[in-house]
Amino acid sequence: MASRLEDQLKALPARPGVYLFRDGAGEVLYVGKAKSLRPRVRSYFQQGLDTRASIRQLPERVVDVEVIVTQNEVEALHLEQNLVKRHRPPFNVRLRDDKSFPYIAVTVEDEYPRVMFTRERHRRGVVYFGPYANAKKVRETLDVLNRVFPYRPCEGPKPGRHSGIPCLDYHIERCLAPCVGYVSKEDYRAIIDQVIEFLSGETDPIQRQLDRKMKDAAAAERFEEAARYRNRLRSVQHLAERQVAERQAADRRSVGTIDVIGLAADGDRAVIQVFPLRDGRMIDRYSFHLENVGGQDITTILESFCLEYYGSAPSVAPQVVVPRDAGDTAALAEFLSERRGARVEVRAAERGE
């Protein structure tokens, strides 16, 4: 072990926080959190204490240890979640075959940004809205948005077709044809800003704008144009009302809403099953495969899974039932409570459940 690394291990604080192992090129190999950094980090460099084959290879590749001290273990969980997403370290627990939830993506760094359906959320230069629980409703939302905001529906970072003429979407007023220069970059960007504003929950500005245009067109006796603005306004109002209704319904359904999590680990792999109960009825079953779990305790595996699963889930159940040997789940409960915006009880399964 290099003397620099030895000095870093000796200087570790006995406080909660996050640790990052880096190789000689500065790449992050592993990110972890600890209630007390000193014993946790040192344990990796004590021979024979870790049964995981891949983790046994880790210390010999570590050249630098970086620690970030936090106020408490919950803050460390939040930080660990963000760092794992950013670096995707090769030695961390990896979730495979996960249920991916739908998002609405706005490619803000494109010259003429797109607004589209996606199930990924890792690209830079993209603003994501969601996750949403229902893919069909996401597509319905996009259909309404495109009728109100004529952004380009074509694929690719640049608009248009090779023919160089506007497509059908221009003629049915679903696009302003930036491909042939019928709209300036500034005016098109203003449309995208309105989309982002609407998806962020600010629906009043576009409703006032459509109402004003409808009345102006009617006053000028452009009745067909006024009817189009009226229809767009009704679509926006319906969409805004549906979003409010869905939030209220979610609050009502919280009674009797439980996620039951089962876990089985063998060697370097594990399987997790999530059984969502709503109003006392099991409505589905989600199965997940995890890699790089050998040598990890159940608490660490469970925390790693919950950080990734509930970090992208559209909602968090008010009660989460975990395996009986899950250990101390106080930090996880507080993390999920912050994620939900209300108290979440994380409790061990009782015999017979």
Side-chain angles (χ1 to χ4, degrees):
M1 186 186 302
S3 59
R4 180 172 178 272
L5 184 57
E6 288 182 354
D7 292 340
Q8 288 179 331
L9 295 178
K10 291 177 183 178
L12 290 169
R15 295 180 59 188
V18 172
Y19 53 94
L20 296 86
F21 294 156
R22 298 180 184 272
D23 61 16
E27 296 295 321
V28 176
L29 300 171
Y30 186 80
V31 174
K33 70 95 185 166
K35 187 180 296 185
S36 179
L37 286 165
R38 182 183 299 164
R40 179 62 176 168
V41 176
R42 287 181 177 180
S43 69
Y44 289 91
F45 300 90
Q46 298 173 8
Q47 293 185 356
L49 293 186
D50 204 313
T51 60
R52 178 159 47 137
S54 57
I55 281 293
R56 286 201 301 270
Q57 301 170 12
L58 179 59
E60 62 190 43
R61 295 180 57 181
V62 176
V63 174
D64 182 70
V65 175
E66 177 186 355
V67 298
I68 303 172
V69 176
T70 59
Q71 295 293 323
N72 50 55
E73 196 176 0
V74 178
E75 186 179 321
L77 270 174
H78 281 285
L79 182 57
E80 179 191 21
Q81 179 192 35
N82 292 332
L83 291 174
V84 169
K85 286 180 183 177
R86 182 187 308 167
H87 297 289
R88 293 291 176 183
F91 285 88
N92 275 82
V93 173
R94 292 198 297 269
L95 191 62
R96 298 297 188 193
D97 300 331
D98 56 309
K99 176 181 173 62
S100 55
F101 295 97
Y103 291 81
I104 293 176
V106 184
T107 60
V108 293
E109 289 195 358
D110 285 352
E111 188 175 26
Y112 291 96
R114 290 170 292 160
V115 182
M116 61 186 186
F117 177 99
T118 185
R119 290 186 182 272
E120 63 179 26
R121 56 175 189 138
H122 60 269
R123 289 181 53 198
R124 294 181 179 178
V126 177
V127 176
Y128 294 99
F129 294 92
Y132 300 94
N134 190 306
K136 180 181 177 182
K137 289 184 178 179
V138 174
R139 297 189 189 279
E140 290 175 354
T141 298
L142 287 171
D143 181 66
V144 172
L145 285 177
N146 196 215
R147 277 187 269 135
V148 177
F149 306 102
Y151 55 81
R152 66 181 183 95
C154 52
E155 298 181 358
K158 293 184 178 181
R161 303 178 298 174
H162 295 298
S163 62
I165 58 175
C167 65
L168 177 63
D169 290 302
Y170 170 75
H171 297 287
I172 62 174
E173 299 185 349
R174 290 244 178 163
C175 181
L176 296 180
C179 53
V180 291
Y182 287 1
V183 60
S184 68
K185 294 179 183 178
E186 293 75 18
D187 289 343
Y188 186 88
R189 179 66 65 170
I191 293 171
I192 295 300
D193 290 342
Q194 288 181 318
V195 172
I196 292 173
E197 184 179 51
F198 183 87
L199 290 173
S200 300
E202 297 294 331
T203 61
D204 289 342
I206 186 60
Q207 291 189 56
R208 288 195 298 267
Q209 181 186 107
L210 290 172
D211 184 67
R212 185 181 66 252
K213 289 183 176 181
M214 177 186 68
K215 291 176 179 177
D216 290 346
E221 298 185 354
R222 300 192 304 273
F223 297 116
E224 289 186 4
E225 183 180 343
R228 287 197 296 270
Y229 285 126
R230 178 202 61 200
N231 294 339
R232 291 174 184 175
L233 177 60
R234 287 177 178 174
S235 296
V236 168
Q237 289 171 336
H238 173 71
L239 190 56
E241 289 168 0
R242 191 180 75 187
Q243 290 173 340
V244 171
E246 287 174 353
R247 286 195 294 268
Q248 292 173 343
D251 292 339
R252 290 194 298 270
R253 288 195 304 267
S254 65
V255 178
T257 299
I258 304 171
D259 282 352
V260 180
I261 298 177
L263 188 157
D266 183 20
D268 203 39
R269 297 177 181 272
V271 173
I272 283 184
Q273 303 267 338
V274 179
F275 301 90
L277 277 69
R278 302 297 181 261
D279 296 323
R281 298 190 302 271
M282 186 170 69
I283 62 168
D284 211 330
R285 184 198 68 176
Y286 307 139
S287 183
F288 303 88
H289 299 272
L290 282 72
E291 299 177 352
N292 284 352
V293 303
Q296 301 274 24
D297 56 51
I298 296 297
T299 304
T300 302
I301 297 173
L302 184 66
E303 286 179 347
S304 298
F305 168 77
C306 288
L307 289 183
E308 189 156 355
Y309 176 71
Y310 287 111
S312 62
S315 61
V316 179
Q319 186 176 157
V320 178
V321 178
V322 298
R324 298 181 66 190
D325 54 352
D328 184 7
T329 58
L332 178 60
E334 191 170 343
F335 169 83
L336 293 178
S337 297
E338 292 181 10
R339 175 78 176 81
R340 180 172 180 259
R343 181 177 179 270
V344 173
E345 178 189 4
V346 179
R347 66 173 181 85
E350 298 178 3
R351 188 178 298 276
E353 280 192 312

Coordinates of all heavy atoms in Angstrom, one line a residue, residues 9-78:
L9 N -5.8 6.9 5.2 CA -6.5 6.0 6.0 C -6.4 6.3 7.5 O -7.3 6.2 8.3 CB -6.1 4.5 5.8 CG -6.4 4.0 4.4 CD1 -5.9 2.5 4.3 CD2 -7.9 4.0 4.1
K10 N -5.2 6.8 7.9 CA -5.0 7.2 9.3 C -5.7 8.4 9.6 O -6.1 8.6 10.8 CB -3.5 7.4 9.5 CG -2.6 6.1 9.4 CD -1.1 6.4 9.6 CE -0.3 5.1 9.5 NZ 1.2 5.4 9.6
A11 N -5.9 9.3 8.7 CA -6.6 10.6 9.0 C -8.1 10.6 8.8 O -8.7 11.6 8.9 CB -6.0 11.6 8.0
L12 N -8.7 9.4 8.6 CA -10.1 9.3 8.4 C -10.9 9.7 9.7 O -10.5 9.3 10.8 CB -10.5 7.9 8.0 CG -10.1 7.4 6.6 CD1 -10.3 5.9 6.5 CD2 -10.9 8.2 5.6
P13 N -11.9 10.5 9.5 CA -12.7 11.0 10.7 C -13.7 9.9 11.1 O -14.2 9.1 10.2 CB -13.4 12.2 10.2 CG -13.6 12.0 8.7 CD -12.4 11.2 8.3
A14 N -14.1 9.8 12.3 CA -15.1 8.9 12.8 C -16.4 9.6 12.8 O -17.1 9.7 13.8 CB -14.7 8.4 14.2
R15 N -16.8 10.0 11.6 CA -18.1 10.8 11.5 C -18.8 10.2 10.3 O -18.3 9.6 9.4 CB -17.8 12.3 11.3 CG -17.2 12.9 12.5 CD -16.9 14.4 12.3 NE -18.1 15.1 11.9 CZ -18.2 16.4 11.5 NH1 -17.0 17.1 11.4 NH2 -19.3 17.0 11.3
P16 N -20.1 10.5 10.2 CA -20.9 10.0 9.0 C -20.5 10.7 7.7 O -20.0 11.9 7.8 CB -22.4 10.4 9.4 CG -22.3 11.4 10.4 CD -21.0 11.2 11.1
G17 N -20.6 10.1 6.6 CA -20.2 10.7 5.3 C -20.2 9.7 4.2 O -20.6 8.6 4.3
V18 N -19.6 10.1 3.1 CA -19.5 9.4 1.9 C -18.0 9.2 1.5 O -17.2 10.2 1.7 CB -20.3 10.0 0.7 CG1 -20.0 9.4 -0.6 CG2 -21.8 10.1 1.0
Y19 N -17.6 8.1 1.0 CA -16.3 7.9 0.6 C -16.2 7.5 -0.9 O -17.1 6.8 -1.4 CB -15.6 6.8 1.4 CG -16.3 5.5 1.6 CD1 -16.0 4.4 0.7 CD2 -17.3 5.3 2.5 CE1 -16.7 3.2 0.8 CE2 -17.9 4.1 2.7 CZ -17.6 3.1 1.8 OH -18.3 1.9 1.9
L20 N -15.2 7.9 -1.6 CA -15.0 7.6 -3.0 C -13.6 7.0 -3.2 O -12.6 7.6 -2.7 CB -15.1 8.8 -3.9 CG -16.4 9.6 -4.0 CD1 -16.5 10.6 -2.8 CD2 -16.6 10.3 -5.3
F21 N -13.5 5.8 -3.8 CA -12.2 5.2 -4.1 C -11.9 5.5 -5.6 O -12.8 5.3 -6.5 CB -12.3 3.7 -3.9 CG -12.5 3.2 -2.5 CD1 -13.0 2.0 -2.2 CD2 -12.1 4.1 -1.4 CE1 -13.2 1.6 -0.9 CE2 -12.2 3.7 -0.1 CZ -12.8 2.4 0.2
R22 N -10.7 6.0 -5.8 CA -10.3 6.4 -7.2 C -9.1 5.6 -7.6 O -8.2 5.2 -6.7 CB -10.0 7.8 -7.3 CG -11.2 8.8 -7.0 CD -10.8 10.2 -7.2 NE -11.9 11.1 -6.8 CZ -12.8 11.6 -7.7 NH1 -12.7 11.2 -8.9 NH2 -13.8 12.4 -7.3
D23 N -8.9 5.3 -8.9 CA -7.7 4.6 -9.4 C -6.7 5.6 -9.8 O -6.8 6.9 -9.6 CB -8.1 3.7 -10.6 CG -8.7 4.5 -11.8 OD1 -8.5 5.7 -11.8 OD2 -9.3 3.8 -12.7
G24 N -5.6 5.1 -10.4 CA -4.5 6.0 -10.8 C -4.9 7.1 -11.8 O -4.2 8.1 -11.9
A25 N -5.9 6.8 -12.6 CA -6.3 7.8 -13.6 C -7.3 8.8 -13.0 O -7.8 9.7 -13.7 CB -6.9 7.1 -14.8
G26 N -7.7 8.7 -11.7 CA -8.6 9.6 -11.1 C -10.1 9.1 -11.3 O -11.0 9.8 -10.9
E27 N -10.3 8.0 -11.9 CA -11.7 7.5 -12.2 C -12.2 6.9 -10.9 O -11.5 6.2 -10.1 CB -11.7 6.4 -13.3 CG -11.3 6.9 -14.6 CD -12.3 7.9 -15.2 OE1 -13.5 7.8 -15.0 OE2 -11.8 8.9 -15.8
V28 N -13.5 7.1 -10.6 CA -14.2 6.7 -9.4 C -14.5 5.2 -9.6 O -15.2 4.8 -10.5 CB -15.5 7.4 -9.1 CG1 -16.2 6.9 -7.9 CG2 -15.1 8.9 -8.9
L29 N -14.0 4.4 -8.7 CA -14.2 2.9 -8.7 C -15.4 2.5 -7.8 O -16.1 1.6 -8.2 CB -12.9 2.2 -8.2 CG -11.6 2.4 -9.0 CD1 -10.5 1.8 -8.2 CD2 -11.8 1.8 -10.4
Y30 N -15.6 3.2 -6.7 CA -16.6 2.8 -5.8 C -17.0 4.0 -5.0 O -16.2 4.8 -4.6 CB -16.1 1.7 -4.9 CG -17.1 1.1 -3.9 CD1 -18.0 0.1 -4.4 CD2 -17.2 1.5 -2.6 CE1 -19.0 -0.4 -3.5 CE2 -18.1 1.0 -1.7 CZ -19.0 0.0 -2.2 OH -20.0 -0.5 -1.4
V31 N -18.3 4.1 -4.7 CA -18.9 5.1 -3.8 C -19.7 4.4 -2.7 O -20.5 3.5 -3.0 CB -19.8 6.1 -4.6 CG1 -20.5 7.1 -3.6 CG2 -19.0 6.9 -5.6
G32 N -19.4 4.8 -1.5 CA -20.2 4.2 -0.4 C -20.5 5.3 0.7 O -19.9 6.3 0.7
K33 N -21.4 4.9 1.6 CA -21.7 5.8 2.7 C -21.5 5.1 4.0 O -21.5 3.8 4.0 CB -23.1 6.4 2.6 CG -24.2 5.4 2.8 CD -24.7 5.4 4.3 CE -25.8 4.3 4.5 NZ -26.1 4.0 5.9
A34 N -21.2 5.8 5.1 CA -21.0 5.1 6.4 C -21.5 6.0 7.5 O -21.5 7.2 7.4 CB -19.5 4.9 6.5
K35 N -21.9 5.3 8.5 CA -22.3 6.0 9.8 C -21.1 6.6 10.4 O -21.1 7.6 11.1 CB -23.1 5.1 10.7 CG -23.7 5.7 11.9 CD -24.4 4.7 12.8 CE -25.6 4.1 12.1 NZ -26.4 3.2 13.0
S36 N -20.0 5.8 10.3 CA -18.7 6.3 10.8 C -17.6 5.9 9.7 O -17.4 4.7 9.4 CB -18.3 5.6 12.1 OG -17.0 6.0 12.6
L37 N -17.0 6.9 9.1 CA -16.1 6.7 8.0 C -14.9 5.9 8.3 O -14.5 5.0 7.5 CB -15.7 8.1 7.4 CG -16.8 8.8 6.6 CD1 -16.4 10.3 6.4 CD2 -17.0 8.1 5.3
R38 N -14.3 6.1 9.5 CA -13.0 5.5 9.8 C -13.1 4.0 9.8 O -12.3 3.4 9.0 CB -12.5 6.0 11.2 CG -11.1 5.4 11.5 CD -10.7 5.9 12.9 NE -10.6 7.4 12.9 CZ -10.6 8.1 14.1 NH1 -10.7 7.5 15.2 NH2 -10.4 9.4 14.0
P39 N -13.9 3.3 10.6 CA -13.9 1.9 10.5 C -14.4 1.3 9.2 O -13.9 0.3 8.8 CB -14.8 1.5 11.7 CG -15.7 2.7 11.9 CD -14.8 3.8 11.6
R40 N -15.4 2.0 8.6 CA -15.9 1.5 7.4 C -14.9 1.4 6.2 O -14.7 0.4 5.5 CB -17.2 2.3 7.0 CG -17.8 1.8 5.7 CD -18.3 0.4 5.8 NE -19.1 0.0 4.6 CZ -19.4 -1.2 4.3 NH1 -19.1 -2.2 5.2 NH2 -20.1 -1.5 3.3
V41 N -14.2 2.5 6.0 CA -13.3 2.6 4.9 C -12.1 1.7 5.2 O -11.6 1.0 4.3 CB -12.8 4.1 4.7 CG1 -11.7 4.1 3.6 CG2 -14.0 4.9 4.3
R42 N -11.6 1.7 6.4 CA -10.4 0.9 6.8 C -10.7 -0.6 6.6 O -9.8 -1.4 6.3 CB -10.0 1.1 8.2 CG -9.3 2.5 8.4 CD -8.9 2.6 9.9 NE -8.2 3.9 10.1 CZ -7.7 4.2 11.3 NH1 -7.9 3.5 12.3 NH2 -7.1 5.4 11.4
S43 N -12.0 -1.0 6.7 CA -12.3 -2.4 6.6 C -12.0 -3.0 5.2 O -11.8 -4.2 5.1 CB -13.8 -2.6 6.9 OG -14.6 -2.1 5.9
Y44 N -12.1 -2.2 4.2 CA -11.8 -2.7 2.8 C -10.3 -3.1 2.7 O -10.0 -3.9 1.8 CB -12.1 -1.6 1.8 CG -13.5 -1.3 1.6 CD1 -14.2 -0.3 2.4 CD2 -14.3 -2.0 0.7 CE1 -15.6 -0.1 2.2 CE2 -15.6 -1.8 0.5 CZ -16.3 -0.8 1.3 OH -17.6 -0.6 1.1
F45 N -9.5 -2.6 3.5 CA -8.0 -2.8 3.3 C -7.5 -3.8 4.4 O -6.3 -3.9 4.6 CB -7.3 -1.5 3.4 CG -7.7 -0.5 2.4 CD1 -8.7 0.4 2.6 CD2 -7.1 -0.5 1.1 CE1 -9.1 1.3 1.6 CE2 -7.5 0.4 0.1 CZ -8.5 1.2 0.4
Q46 N -8.4 -4.5 5.1 CA -8.0 -5.5 6.0 C -8.3 -6.9 5.4 O -9.4 -7.2 4.9 CB -8.8 -5.4 7.3 CG -8.6 -4.1 8.0 CD -9.5 -3.9 9.2 OE1 -10.3 -4.8 9.6 NE2 -9.5 -2.7 9.8
Q47 N -7.3 -7.7 5.2 CA -7.3 -8.9 4.5 C -8.3 -9.9 5.1 O -8.4 -10.0 6.3 CB -6.0 -9.6 4.4 CG -5.0 -8.8 3.6 CD -3.6 -9.5 3.4 OE1 -3.4 -10.5 4.0 NE2 -2.8 -8.9 2.6
G48 N -9.0 -10.6 4.2 CA -9.9 -11.7 4.7 C -11.2 -11.3 5.2 O -12.0 -12.1 5.6
L49 N -11.5 -9.9 5.2 CA -12.8 -9.5 5.8 C -13.9 -9.4 4.8 O -15.0 -9.1 5.2 CB -12.6 -8.2 6.6 CG -11.7 -8.3 7.8 CD1 -11.7 -6.9 8.5 CD2 -12.2 -9.4 8.8
D50 N -13.6 -9.5 3.5 CA -14.7 -9.4 2.5 C -14.7 -10.6 1.6 O -13.6 -10.9 1.1 CB -14.4 -8.1 1.7 CG -15.7 -7.6 1.0 OD1 -16.4 -8.5 0.5 OD2 -16.0 -6.4 1.2
T51 N -15.8 -11.2 1.5 CA -15.9 -12.5 0.7 C -16.2 -12.2 -0.8 O -16.1 -13.1 -1.6 CB -17.0 -13.3 1.3 OG1 -18.3 -12.6 1.2 CG2 -16.7 -13.7 2.7
R52 N -16.5 -11.0 -1.1 CA -16.8 -10.7 -2.5 C -15.6 -10.7 -3.4 O -14.6 -9.9 -3.1 CB -17.6 -9.4 -2.6 CG -17.9 -9.0 -4.0 CD -19.1 -8.1 -4.2 NE -19.0 -6.9 -3.4 CZ -19.3 -5.7 -3.8 NH1 -19.6 -5.5 -5.0 NH2 -19.3 -4.7 -2.9
A53 N -15.5 -11.5 -4.4 CA -14.3 -11.6 -5.3 C -14.0 -10.2 -5.9 O -12.8 -9.8 -5.9 CB -14.6 -12.6 -6.4
S54 N -15.0 -9.5 -6.4 CA -14.7 -8.3 -7.0 C -14.2 -7.2 -6.0 O -13.3 -6.4 -6.4 CB -16.0 -7.7 -7.7 OG -17.0 -7.6 -6.8
I55 N -14.7 -7.2 -4.8 CA -14.3 -6.3 -3.8 C -12.9 -6.6 -3.3 O -12.1 -5.7 -3.0 CB -15.3 -6.3 -2.6 CG1 -16.5 -5.4 -3.0 CG2 -14.6 -5.7 -1.3 CD1 -16.2 -3.9 -3.2
R56 N -12.5 -7.9 -3.3 CA -11.1 -8.2 -3.0 C -10.1 -7.7 -4.0 O -9.0 -7.4 -3.7 CB -11.0 -9.8 -2.9 CG -11.6 -10.4 -1.7 CD -11.0 -11.8 -1.4 NE -11.2 -12.7 -2.5 CZ -12.3 -13.5 -2.7 NH1 -13.2 -13.5 -1.7 NH2 -12.4 -14.3 -3.7
Q57 N -10.6 -7.4 -5.2 CA -9.7 -6.8 -6.2 C -9.7 -5.3 -6.1 O -8.8 -4.6 -6.7 CB -10.2 -7.2 -7.6 CG -10.3 -8.7 -7.9 CD -11.1 -8.9 -9.2 OE1 -11.3 -8.0 -10.0 NE2 -11.4 -10.2 -9.4
L58 N -10.6 -4.7 -5.3 CA -10.7 -3.3 -5.3 C -9.5 -2.6 -4.6 O -8.9 -1.6 -5.1 CB -12.0 -2.9 -4.6 CG -12.3 -1.4 -4.4 CD1 -12.3 -0.7 -5.7 CD2 -13.6 -1.2 -3.7
P59 N -9.1 -3.0 -3.4 CA -8.0 -2.3 -2.7 C -6.7 -2.1 -3.5 O -6.1 -1.1 -3.5 CB -7.8 -3.2 -1.4 CG -9.1 -3.9 -1.2 CD -9.6 -4.1 -2.6
E60 N -6.4 -3.2 -4.3 CA -5.1 -3.1 -5.1 C -5.2 -2.1 -6.2 O -4.2 -1.6 -6.7 CB -4.8 -4.5 -5.6 CG -5.8 -5.0 -6.6 CD -5.5 -6.5 -6.9 OE1 -5.2 -7.3 -6.0 OE2 -5.6 -6.8 -8.1
R61 N -6.4 -1.7 -6.6 CA -6.6 -0.7 -7.6 C -6.8 0.7 -7.1 O -6.7 1.7 -7.8 CB -7.8 -1.0 -8.5 CG -7.6 -2.3 -9.3 CD -8.8 -2.7 -10.1 NE -9.1 -1.6 -11.1 CZ -10.1 -1.6 -11.9 NH1 -10.9 -2.7 -12.0 NH2 -10.3 -0.6 -12.8
V62 N -7.0 0.9 -5.8 CA -7.3 2.2 -5.2 C -6.0 2.9 -5.0 O -5.1 2.4 -4.3 CB -8.1 2.0 -3.8 CG1 -8.2 3.4 -3.2 CG2 -9.4 1.3 -4.1
V63 N -6.0 4.1 -5.5 CA -4.8 5.0 -5.3 C -5.1 6.2 -4.4 O -4.3 6.7 -3.8 CB -4.3 5.5 -6.7 CG1 -3.2 6.5 -6.6 CG2 -3.8 4.3 -7.6
D64 N -6.4 6.5 -4.4 CA -6.8 7.7 -3.7 C -8.1 7.5 -3.0 O -9.0 6.9 -3.6 CB -6.8 8.9 -4.6 CG -7.2 10.2 -3.9 OD1 -6.4 10.7 -3.1 OD2 -8.3 10.7 -4.1
V65 N -8.3 8.0 -1.8 CA -9.5 7.9 -1.1 C -10.0 9.3 -0.8 O -9.3 10.1 -0.2 CB -9.4 7.1 0.2 CG1 -10.7 7.2 1.0 CG2 -9.0 5.7 0.0
E66 N -11.2 9.6 -1.2 CA -11.8 10.9 -0.9 C -13.0 10.7 0.0 O -13.8 9.9 -0.3 CB -12.2 11.6 -2.2 CG -12.9 13.0 -2.0 CD -13.5 13.5 -3.3 OE1 -13.3 13.0 -4.4 OE2 -14.2 14.6 -3.2
V67 N -13.1 11.5 1.0 CA -14.2 11.4 1.9 C -14.9 12.8 2.0 O -14.3 13.8 2.0 CB -13.8 10.9 3.4 CG1 -13.2 9.5 3.3 CG2 -12.8 11.9 4.0
I68 N -16.2 12.7 2.1 CA -17.0 13.9 2.3 C -17.8 13.7 3.6 O -18.7 12.8 3.7 CB -18.0 14.1 1.1 CG1 -17.1 14.2 -0.2 CG2 -18.8 15.4 1.3 CD1 -18.0 14.3 -1.4
V69 N -17.6 14.5 4.6 CA -18.2 14.4 5.9 C -19.6 15.1 5.8 O -19.7 16.2 5.2 CB -17.4 15.1 7.0 CG1 -18.2 15.1 8.3 CG2 -16.1 14.3 7.1
T70 N -20.6 14.4 6.3 CA -22.0 15.0 6.3 C -22.5 15.2 7.7 O -21.9 14.7 8.7 CB -22.9 14.1 5.5 OG1 -23.0 12.8 6.2 CG2 -22.5 13.9 4.1
Q71 N -23.6 15.9 7.9 CA -24.1 16.1 9.2 C -24.7 14.8 9.8 O -24.6 14.6 11.0 CB -25.3 17.2 9.1 CG -24.8 18.5 8.7 CD -23.9 19.2 9.8 OE1 -24.1 19.0 10.9 NE2 -22.9 19.9 9.3
N72 N -25.3 13.9 9.0 CA -25.9 12.7 9.5 C -25.9 11.7 8.4 O -25.5 11.9 7.3 CB -27.3 13.0 10.0 CG -28.1 13.8 9.0 OD1 -28.3 13.3 7.9 ND2 -28.7 14.9 9.4
E73 N -26.4 10.5 8.7 CA -26.4 9.4 7.8 C -27.4 9.6 6.7 O -27.2 9.2 5.5 CB -26.8 8.1 8.6 CG -26.5 6.8 7.8 CD -26.7 5.6 8.6 OE1 -27.2 5.7 9.8 OE2 -26.5 4.5 8.1
V74 N -28.5 10.3 6.9 CA -29.5 10.6 5.9 C -28.9 11.5 4.8 O -29.1 11.3 3.6 CB -30.8 11.2 6.5 CG1 -31.8 11.5 5.4 CG2 -31.4 10.3 7.5
E75 N -28.2 12.5 5.2 CA -27.5 13.4 4.3 C -26.5 12.6 3.5 O -26.4 12.8 2.3 CB -26.9 14.5 5.0 CG -26.3 15.6 4.1 CD -25.6 16.7 4.9 OE1 -26.2 17.1 5.9 OE2 -24.5 17.2 4.5
A76 N -25.9 11.6 4.1 CA -24.9 10.8 3.4 C -25.6 9.9 2.3 O -25.1 9.7 1.2 CB -24.2 9.9 4.4
L77 N -26.8 9.5 2.6 CA -27.6 8.7 1.7 C -27.9 9.5 0.4 O -27.8 9.1 -0.7 CB -28.9 8.2 2.3 CG -28.8 6.8 3.0 CD1 -30.2 6.5 3.7 CD2 -28.5 5.7 2.0
H78 N -28.4 10.7 0.6 CA -28.7 11.6 -0.5 C -27.4 11.9 -1.3 O -27.5 11.8 -2.6 CB -29.2 13.0 0.0 CG -30.6 13.0 0.4 ND1 -31.6 12.9 -0.4 CD2 -31.2 13.0 1.7 CE1 -32.8 12.9 0.2 NE2 -32.5 13.0 1.5

